[in-house]
Every structure is written in C-alpha cells, then in structure tokens.
Amino acid sequence: SDPDSDPTKHPHFRQDPYKYYAEFRKAGKPVIRVGGGYDSYWVLSHDLVTEVCRPENQNLFQKPGKNRLKQDLPFGIDGNTSDGLFFMDPPRHTDVRPALDAVFKTAITPLLAQLDAKAAEVAKDLPGKAPLEVVTGFAAKLAPWAFEEAFGFRTGTAERLMVEQWTRAMLTGRDPNQDRGLRAVGGTAGLALRAYLNGLTRDQALPAGGCKAATTTILSGLHKLSACPVLNMPLNRDEVTNTSSHFALGGYLSTEFLIITGIYNLAGHPDQWAALHKNPDPQLIKKAVWEMLRYDAPFQMADRWVTRDCYLGGVALPANSKLTVVYGAANRDEARFKDRPDDFDISRGPDTTNIYAFAHA
C-alpha cells in the first residue's frame, strides 16, 4: 500500500503474478495503491472487480475516454477527441453497440469457414518435429490474418505489415516499465496508425448502391455508420478513427496471446494436453478455451476513471484517480473459485464467474 510501490518491478512478478495477487488478498488488501509508472489503485478480488464492472456503476467508474487519463503532448494530442466504441459511455454506447455488433457479424461470419484451412496452411510452415515456434510461427500469423481480413486491409501489400508493426509497437509503448525509448517508439506508432486510419475514413467511398448497399468489412461498415442515417446520430470522424484504432489494438492481439498462453499451459500440464488429444470434441475444446481465459487472461487488467470520492473495499478513492481492475487476479480469487483456483483444469467448462470472458464479451 506504499504510494511509491510497484509490484511489477519485483524480479519474479512477471513470471507468476498470481501468487502476489493472492498474498495481497490474504493480507486483507483487495485494493492496493500502486505507484511508479502505474499511479493507480489495483482491484484484486473477484467481488470488487465485479462491482466496478457492473453496468449500474459505470457512471462512478468510467472507462478512460475523453478528458480522462490525459497524456502529455505529443502523444496526448487526441485526448479531446470523441471516444471510440470501447470508451463510449451511455447513452452513446447504447445506441452504437448494436449497430457495430451487426457490422462485426457481417464481417466475421464468412471468415469462420476459412479459419481451419488457414490454420492448416500456417501449420505447414512449422518444422516436422520439436521444437515448434508457436509464437511467431503460428499465433502471430493466424490471428493477425483473421483481423486484417475482417477489417478490410488489402492483401498482398505493405499495408498489413505496417498496421501490424504499428499495433505491436503501440502495445509495447503502453507498458510504463519499458524504457523511454521504446515508449516513445510506441507513442509514435500510435500517432502513425491514427493518421493512417483517419485517412482511410476520409477516402473510403460508399459502395455502389449507397446506403442500401451491403457492407462486407468492418471498415466499410464503420464508414456506412458515419455516412448513412442508421444511428440516431451518425458516427463522426473521431469516433470512427478511435474505434478503428481500438480494434487494431484489441482485435487480434488478445486472440494471439490466448493461443500462445493456452498452448504453453497445456504443455505445462501434460494430463490436460493428453485429455484434449484423447477427446478433441467441440464441447471439450470450448471448455478448454474458457479455462484458458480464466487461468491466464490474455490482457491482465483494464483501467477505469473514478468520477467522485468513494470507498471500495474499505479504501478511499479520490475523485479523478485511476482505478485498475485486474482480471487475472479476480479469476484466481480463492474466495470465488474455491475448487482449486490455481489448477489448470479444462473440464471446468463455461463459468459465469469468469470475469475476463464476460468483461470482453
């Protein structure tokens, strides 16, 4: 609880953060103040993460959108722009989300039939025997391909490579424990990606047939929502650019990370690996994916903005302070997952207490 503390700087934290989360909870500290580059209150218990994420509390714990968590210039230059979908508050989010859900479904559904073939194609490039390069040889090829196809980036050009490189640099640059040089590169990549997406939005023309024409990609769907009277108020340029940027950052990296950590954890639990190979039916695979999400969340945490003085878990939170819900901690909370919270068990199945899965649904 030291205001200058930062558990992420402990040499073993990144190898296994879950035991540190458990130690804080057992010490009666489900909310801790983390200083350093984070400067945030971390929420570590399942009950309190659930409370923060409840829809009825969204006005108290808001997403870090417009006019919140401002960065210094130059990288905070977009701080006053209209929010994208991920940071929108009601009623705007309530209006926009169903329309964008329809866009996603239209763009993603045709890809589902192609994914098995694409996965087999990517796997052919792997060597015939161990060791296999699962990260760059498989996950980092399959997940970006699916996103880029759905979004509408052109194939066979440098466009996809640049978008992917910008996105990866952005993610690295958001880690406050990285050195200033890497963070500067990440911020610069973010500016480049936003400028590019802004240009795509400007140049994108409606297909023949105008507003009545069907859309086939996320990009064309976003443009239609900005140019046609589909919503109560069409998406403005900032909303399209920021939504596109959020998709680029979260549209495939979480899936890529899940493939990597999922295979890693299966390899580390030979009994679970054997069980999946012995019975690879769709229902068991579905259960395994849910357990991968619970056991080792692809994104460990998400920020919120405290709008007024309040208490959470007995800790006073000042107005305008940053709050961080730690999905990874919540999904290993022994108070909620009493049945072996630190065991990797693919037979658990879908669980309504899986905070990560439902927060990102």
Side-chain angles (χ1 to χ4, degrees), residues 98-108 215 217-222 225:
L100 281 177
D101 281 346
V103 169
F104 303 154
K105 184 176 181 179
T106 300
I108 293 171
T215 59
T217 66
I218 294 173
L219 182 60
S220 61
L222 285 169
L225 293 179

Side-chain angles (χ1 to χ4, degrees), residues 33-333:
R33 175 77 167 82
V34 178
Y38 288 92
D39 191 22
S40 176
Y41 292 87
W42 284 17
V43 187
L44 306 177
S45 76
H46 188 283
D47 286 348
L48 294 182
V49 169
T50 302
E51 183 176 340
V52 173
C53 293
R54 283 194 182 113
E56 58 266 31
N57 289 330
Q58 60 193 352
N59 289 326
L60 176 57
F61 305 116
Q62 293 184 330
K63 298 174 184 177
K66 186 177 181 181
N67 294 323
R68 304 168 205 143
L69 306 182
K70 288 184 178 179
Q71 288 182 287
D72 293 333
L73 295 176
F75 304 129
I77 192 66
D78 62 336
N80 290 318
T81 60
S82 300
D83 293 328
L85 176 69
F86 290 69
F87 291 164
M88 286 178 182
D89 294 315
R92 186 58 170 159
H93 185 275
T94 306
D95 186 30
V96 171
R97 176 64 187 265
L100 281 177
D101 281 346
V103 169
F104 303 154
K105 184 176 181 179
T106 300
I108 293 171
T109 299
L111 289 176
L112 298 180
Q114 304 175 42
L115 276 172
D116 283 347
K118 184 63 179 180
E121 176 188 326
V122 173
K124 284 182 180 179
D125 293 333
L126 295 173
K129 58 182 180 180
L132 303 180
E133 179 42 70
V134 173
V135 179
T136 60
F138 186 76
K141 291 182 179 178
L142 182 62
W145 173 84
F147 166 74
E148 290 156 1
E149 287 286 314
F151 195 84
F153 292 120
R154 296 168 298 164
T155 59
T157 68
E159 179 180 32
R160 293 191 175 194
L161 176 62
M162 292 305 301
V163 169
E164 185 178 340
Q165 293 300 317
W166 285 332
T167 302
R168 293 184 187 281
M170 282 173 62
L171 186 65
T172 300
R174 293 191 175 193
D175 183 347
N177 284 329
Q178 294 287 358
D179 68 45
R180 294 182 65 185
L182 284 176
R183 299 198 68 194
V185 170
T188 304
L191 292 176
L193 180 62
R194 280 184 50 80
Y196 183 69
L197 293 172
N198 195 295
L200 285 182
T201 303
R202 180 195 63 210
D203 295 337
Q204 179 77 12
L206 280 174
C211 290
K212 294 182 179 180
T215 59
T216 58
T217 66
I218 294 173
L219 182 60
S220 61
L222 285 169
H223 189 262
K224 185 173 182 177
L225 293 179
S226 71
C228 302
V230 179
L231 301 170
N232 292 329
M233 182 173 65
L235 293 178
N236 63 39
R237 176 75 65 77
D238 288 344
E239 289 175 328
V240 173
T241 298
N242 285 328
T243 297
S244 299
S245 179
H246 293 159
F247 285 159
L249 192 61
Y252 71 85
L253 287 176
S254 56
T255 303
E256 179 179 317
F257 297 162
L258 182 63
I259 293 171
I260 296 165
T261 58
I263 292 175
Y264 175 81
N265 287 316
L266 281 170
H269 297 81
D271 59 326
Q272 301 299 297
W273 181 276
L276 192 60
H277 275 259
K278 183 179 179 180
N279 183 28
D281 70 78
Q283 289 304 313
L284 184 59
I285 293 172
K286 182 178 179 179
K287 290 180 179 180
V289 171
W290 275 77
E291 179 67 351
M292 291 171 187
L293 289 168
R294 184 201 71 84
Y295 184 78
D296 211 359
F299 280 94
Q300 286 282 303
M301 54 189 67
D303 291 332
R304 293 292 187 271
W305 183 253
V306 182
T307 60
R308 64 176 184 272
D309 292 348
C310 65
Y311 284 86
L312 183 70
V315 176
L317 304 178
N320 301 322
S321 58
K322 185 167 72 169
L323 188 72
T324 300
V325 288
V326 185
Y327 301 130
N331 274 345
R332 295 279 198 102
D333 188 348

Side-chain angles (χ1 to χ4, degrees), residues 7-23:
T8 66
K9 291 185 178 180
H10 191 285
H12 301 298
F13 176 85
R14 287 174 181 264
Q15 294 175 343
D16 183 10
Y18 302 103
K19 67 179 182 181
Y20 293 90
Y21 300 150
E23 286 174 5

